[in-house]
Amino acid sequence: MLSRTADSVYWMSRYTERAENVARLLDVTYRMSLLPTTGVSGYWGAALSANGLDEAYQKKYGAFSAPNVVRYMVLDEDNPSSIRTCLRSARENAHAVRGAITSESWETLNATWLEMRKVTTSQLQGAALSEFFDWVKFRSHLSRGVTFGTSLRDEAFYFNRLGTFLERADNTARMLDVKYDPLAPEPSPGNEYYEWGALLRSVSAFEIYRRVYRDVITPERVAELLVLRADMPRSLRACMEEVHATLKIIANSQSAETERRAGELHAELHFGRIDTILASGLHEMLTDFLGRTADLGNRISADFLVP
């Protein structure tokens, strides 16, 4: 496959997954901000900080506030990680490789972008806000399902999956780290259960948690589920298992070191123990993980994609 084609397919899937995960992050932030606490604006600041966007936001909007953070993270075209920008970029990359993807995949992404263009600030308030986040998640699920159900299992398919799971791993780590961000307010007495519950719902893991643990929600078990469980589809371990397996399939003459680093990270998660991770610091582990997935992304670009 031409590196330019691989590049477009890879980024098409990353941008689609990123739009979904920004919606998930904002949804959990919105739910947490509804709980009684003295630091509501801190949740919105932590959401921006998790994506490294707090400084850029403050230059444009100043103090953290829910309406401005939502506007910046959903509609702002100057924000490269806003939902609008991600969906537009996903559509542009799909358009560039229409011959390498199915017509169903193209039509799904194109229709999503056309609907996104109609969204206005006035529609992102109150109950309509959660409905919009659900719509973004649904369109991402639809795009992923159509791709899986209609695509030939060729290199384009595997670059699509590589982008999806690398982006998902990055964003699961960021959402979990929001709880530990210095900007986030300390939970009020009795609120922590609801905050962890909101986090689980943000990654579609609330029902999974109940089925696996059948007990009250505790931070240790939430961390174990989202970091180490191989049967949790959005966990760090499950994502890195997919990334490593896909790199083995598409390997070329210069990708051995990238494959080794992905395998090393997967092995640490495969054999890791949550008590050891918590003892050394979950925030530190997540920060290290994000650095290593960023390194993998850079190496994938150098090994396979357009320079």
Side-chain angles (χ1 to χ4, degrees):
M1 173 179 284
L2 294 174
S3 60
R4 186 171 299 279
T5 302
D7 185 84
S8 292
V9 172
Y10 172 82
W11 282 106
M12 175 190 75
S13 62
R14 286 204 69 162
Y15 281 123
T16 302
E17 182 72 20
R18 187 175 300 177
E20 176 186 346
N21 284 290
V22 170
R24 289 178 179 275
L25 177 64
L26 292 176
D27 196 24
V28 69
T29 303
Y30 173 67
R31 291 174 186 273
M32 288 182 179
S33 71
L34 297 178
L35 298 172
T37 181
T38 57
V40 171
S41 64
Y43 289 120
W44 296 101
L48 290 165
S49 178
N51 284 280
L53 295 171
D54 44 335
E55 291 185 10
Y57 167 89
Q58 287 179 311
K59 286 180 181 178
K60 188 166 186 176
Y61 293 99
F64 300 127
S65 69
N68 284 340
V69 172
V70 169
R71 185 181 303 113
Y72 183 67
M73 294 295 286
V74 174
L75 297 176
D76 199 318
E77 295 189 358
D78 294 330
N79 176 8
S81 293
S82 73
I83 292 174
R84 180 184 177 89
T85 303
C86 287
L87 293 179
R88 183 187 66 212
S89 298
R91 188 261 185 196
E92 289 173 351
N93 278 284
H95 186 266
V97 289
R98 287 191 62 178
I101 62 176
T102 64
S103 58
E104 291 90 347
S105 294
W106 158 250
E107 288 165 5
T108 300
L109 286 170
N110 189 49
T112 301
W113 167 240
L114 293 176
E115 290 183 47
M116 181 67 216
R117 290 174 58 187
K118 301 175 184 176
V119 177
T120 62
T121 304
S122 61
Q123 295 173 265
L124 303 176
Q125 298 177 10
L129 190 58
S130 288
E131 292 176 6
F132 170 75
F133 295 146
D134 287 340
W135 174 82
V136 175
K137 289 184 281 186
F138 171 76
R139 297 302 300 185
S140 178
H141 296 329
L142 182 61
S143 176
R144 195 160 49 248
V146 166
T147 298
F148 188 84
T150 65
S151 297
L152 180 70
R153 270 38 176 181
D154 58 1
E155 287 185 313
F157 175 80
Y158 288 110
F159 275 105
N160 190 308
R161 288 183 69 79
L162 181 62
T164 294
F165 286 103
L166 190 63
E167 186 69 30
R168 183 177 296 180
D170 178 273
N171 280 279
T172 296
R174 292 180 189 278
M175 279 188 277
L176 184 55
D177 202 33
V178 165
K179 279 288 296 175
Y180 294 92
D181 193 284
L183 291 173
E186 289 293 323
S188 302
N191 275 357
E192 190 158 13
Y193 167 86
Y194 296 102
E195 290 190 6
W196 285 110
L199 177 62
L200 287 170
R201 287 188 173 90
S202 74
V203 291
S204 302
F206 187 82
E207 294 175 357
I208 293 175
Y209 183 97
R210 291 298 194 195
R211 290 178 62 184
V212 171
Y213 296 106
R214 302 178 183 277
D215 203 350
V216 296
I217 298 174
T218 65
E220 295 78 10
R221 287 174 174 170
V222 173
E224 181 181 56
L225 183 69
L226 299 186
V227 175
L228 299 179
R229 294 282 306 203
D231 51 359
M232 166 58 197
R234 303 190 76 88
S235 74
L236 305 188
R237 178 180 167 184
C239 291
M240 290 312 304
E241 186 173 325
E242 292 281 354
V243 169
H244 183 228
T246 304
L247 283 170
K248 291 170 69 175
I249 293 172
I250 63 172
N252 62 22
S253 59
Q254 62 188 53
S255 64
E257 178 60 17
T258 303
E259 183 184 329
R260 187 198 68 79
R261 294 190 188 193
E264 181 180 47
L265 183 51
H266 172 243
E268 291 177 16
L269 295 167
H270 180 85
F271 295 105
R273 294 176 59 88
I274 195 61
D275 52 351
T276 303
I277 292 173
L278 294 176
S280 59
L282 181 59
H283 173 71
E284 289 71 21
M285 177 268 171
L286 293 171
T287 301
D288 176 69
F289 180 86
L290 289 169
R292 293 166 74 178
T293 53
D295 173 66
L296 282 176
N298 292 333
R299 296 192 66 87
I300 289 168
S301 293
D303 292 344
F304 300 102
L305 309 179
V306 176

